[in-house]
């Protein structure tokens, strides 16, 4: 009867699989999935193929670029035996053999991972050195993975040195650190070092797009670009932000949007930043402060606004020098930067950079961040109305009227340079022009020696006489003769004579610069400034070439 009523154990409800964060779920399982480290993978591949495997490796780089993942992949590559159990070390571990699966699951008895942050004493290292004497139990190599190795004590490092330099043939050491400068040189010299570089933002954005496709989540390309930029080259940081963005987007809606990412991270809206920058350049103080306050009321950190202004000025400067555009930029932002780059001069951009950088640091330290940001913007607006220092010096030197203060955009374009005289022959018109021709033709060292040490006695092409009162090497004369022949197409006579000669070009420039400085000190504008500020001094003034 008891047997008849025995219905067995009741069925247990299946437990849902515990959620794994994206950073763990999409940890690289093969070297082909390790993004951004192609040079290191190629080196390891060649080393394994040629059986030139080092006994110790050191992986260094910023957080989240794959140091520990790389160490585990190396452990799999060295211990893989293939699906048939007959394979050897390979750069493409099979992932199905027992060593590969055990290492991936963190349960292989011969692959020992140690966190040096919590096991940094000499006793911990003594355990390693003692255990390393014994052969591996089931693997080809016994592998020690030491994470954050820079946290080890000095005594622990010293205890590890001998074993690290001459380990048994069956032992490999894989060290990882984010602060390689704290690792003793004696340890570095015993390891094959790999510097894992930051992963480019566009590569991270493409990687995140692939992850979202597997997760069944849609996202705007601009949102992925924002996450990749916030990750600062770290795949793990980016996946953590992406995990947060998925949760922030919720179950309804159109997926991950750029606006939701900005709100989540407290990033400044790029369109709003452009509005603030436009107001600053136009000298519109109320407009700039209103734009800043709107972002602040919307939850944006004032320091983020200053960072956005710095990025904008930097981007405009890069456009001005002709670099390729950022693919993550919107068409609107690219057009705005190109327009500003065409209207703003380098001095204005450099001045804005310094002002915003100073404001960023002040906001970071201020007890009243929004007030500090407002004062930084007002300071930039006031400075934007000042004339360009180089333009001011040229006008003072030439006697032209001083410009009236105005917005930065009004003083952005420098005055046109006077047309250069046309050379009537291949011979330089005078000695300074000859030195300029030598410099332009690539004879930089020769031109520098003549500028600082050449005292002219006579210049009558094709004859050049220099003073011998200041030592000039004989090879300089022969080098100069050959260079002038290449420039003019005829043979020159270059010689030293025992005469004093004229001052060198450098000496003449210094005299002219001092005269210009004294003239500048006597100008009405500077005199008025010194009278208003008695303790002021003229420390920085235009380049000598612009006023000579």
């Amino acid at each position: 009867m008891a047997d008849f009523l025995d219905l067995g154990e009741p069925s247990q409800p299946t437990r849902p699989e515990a959620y794994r964060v994206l950073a763990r779920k999409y940890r690289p399982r093969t070297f082909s999935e390790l993004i951004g480290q192609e040079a290191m993978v190629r080196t390891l591949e060649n080393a394994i193929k040629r059986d030139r495997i080092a006994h110790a490796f050191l992986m260094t780089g910023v957080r989240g670029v794959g140091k520990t993942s790389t160490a585990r992949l190396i452990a799999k590559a060295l211990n893989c035996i293939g699906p048939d159990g007959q394979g050897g070390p390979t750069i493409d571990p099979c992932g199905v053999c027992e060593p590969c699966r055990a290492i991936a699951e963190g349960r292989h008895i011969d692959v020992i991972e140690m966190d040096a942050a919590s096991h940094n004493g000499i006793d911990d290292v003594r355990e390693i050195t003692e255990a390393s004497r014994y052969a591996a139990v089931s693997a080809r190599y016994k592998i020690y993975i030491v994470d954050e190795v820079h946290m080890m004590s000095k005594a622990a490092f010293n205890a590890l040195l001998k074993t690290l330099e001459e380990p048994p043939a069956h032992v490999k050491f894989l060290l990882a650190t984010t602060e390689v400068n704290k690792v003793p040189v004696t340890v570095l010299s015993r390891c094959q070092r790999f510097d894992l570089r930051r992963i480019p933002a566009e590569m991270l954005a493409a990687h995140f797009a692939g992850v979202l496709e597997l997760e069944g989540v849609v996202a705007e390309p601009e949102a992925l670009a924002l996450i990749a930029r916030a990750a600062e080259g770290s795949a793990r940081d980016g996946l953590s932000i992406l995990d947060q963005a998925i949760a922030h987007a919720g179950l309804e809606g159109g997926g991950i949007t750029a606006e939701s990412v900005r709100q989540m991270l407290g990033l400044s809206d790029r369109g709003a930043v452009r509005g603030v920058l436009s107001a600053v350049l136009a000298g519109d103080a109320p407009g700039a402060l209103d734009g800043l306050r709107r972002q602040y009321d919307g939850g944006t950190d004032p320091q983020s606004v200053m960072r956005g202004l710095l990025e904008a000025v930097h981007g405009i400067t890069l456009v001005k020098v002709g670099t390729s555009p950022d693919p993550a930029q919107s068409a609107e932002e690219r057009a705005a930067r190109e327009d500003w780059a065409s209207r703003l001069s380098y001095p204005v951009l450099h001045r804005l950079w310094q002002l915003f950088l100073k404001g960023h640091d002040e906001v970071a330290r201020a007890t009243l961040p929004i007030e500090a940001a407002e004062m930084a913007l007002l300071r930039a607006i006031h400075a934007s109305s000042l004339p360009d220092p180089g333009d001011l010096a040229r006008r003072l030197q030439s006697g032209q009227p001083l410009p009236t203060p105005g917005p930065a955009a009004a003083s952005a374009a420098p005055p046109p340079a006077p047309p250069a005289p046309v050379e009537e022959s291949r011979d330089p018109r005078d000695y300074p022009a000859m030195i300029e021709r030598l410099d332009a033709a690539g004879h930089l060292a020769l031109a520098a020696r003549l500028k600082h040490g050449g005292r002219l006695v006579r210049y009558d092409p094709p004859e050049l006489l220099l003073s011998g009162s200041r030592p000039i090497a004989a090879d300089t004369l022969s080098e100069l003769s050959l260079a002038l022949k290449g420039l003019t197409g005829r043979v020159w006579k270059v010689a030293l004579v025992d005469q004093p000669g004229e001052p060198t070009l450098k000496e003449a420039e210094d005299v002219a610069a001092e005269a210009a400085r004294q003239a500048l000190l006597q100008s009405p504008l500077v005199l008025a400034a010194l009278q208003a500020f008695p303790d002021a001094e003229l420390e920085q003034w235009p380049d000598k070439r612009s006023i000579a």
Side-chain angles (χ1 to χ4, degrees), residues 239-251:
L239 289 173
S240 298
I241 298 173
L242 189 63
D243 229 336
Q244 183 181 356
I246 295 174
H248 184 78
L251 299 178

Side-chain angles (χ1 to χ4, degrees), residues 502-527:
E502 300 177 2
T504 66
L505 292 187
K506 181 63 170 59
E507 293 171 344
E509 284 185 0
D510 290 343
V511 171
E514 180 58 27
R517 182 177 184 276
Q518 294 300 325
L520 189 60
L521 287 172
Q522 299 302 318
S523 65
L525 182 63
V526 176
L527 287 175

Side-chain angles (χ1 to χ4, degrees), residues 15-68:
R15 292 186 178 182
E17 183 180 355
Y19 174 70
R20 286 194 301 163
V21 296
L22 297 181
R24 292 188 60 194
K25 186 176 181 180
Y26 294 98
R27 185 189 294 271
R29 293 167 295 182
T30 63
F31 280 106
S32 61
E33 296 179 2
L34 188 66
I35 61 174
Q37 312 300 340
E38 292 78 9
M40 180 198 66
V41 174
R42 188 182 306 113
T43 302
L44 287 173
E45 180 180 9
N46 293 335
I48 292 175
K49 285 181 179 179
R50 300 178 184 180
D51 195 22
R52 300 177 63 89
I53 306 171
H55 60 272
F57 298 91
L58 175 70
M59 274 69 69
T60 178
V62 298
R63 71 205 179 280
V65 293
K67 298 183 295 298
T68 307

Side-chain angles (χ1 to χ4, degrees), residues 31 44 57 59 70-79 143 174:
F31 280 106
L44 287 173
F57 298 91
M59 274 69 69
T70 299
R72 292 171 181 168
L73 290 176
I74 294 176
K76 290 170 62 176
L78 297 182
N79 284 326
I143 295 178
L174 306 178

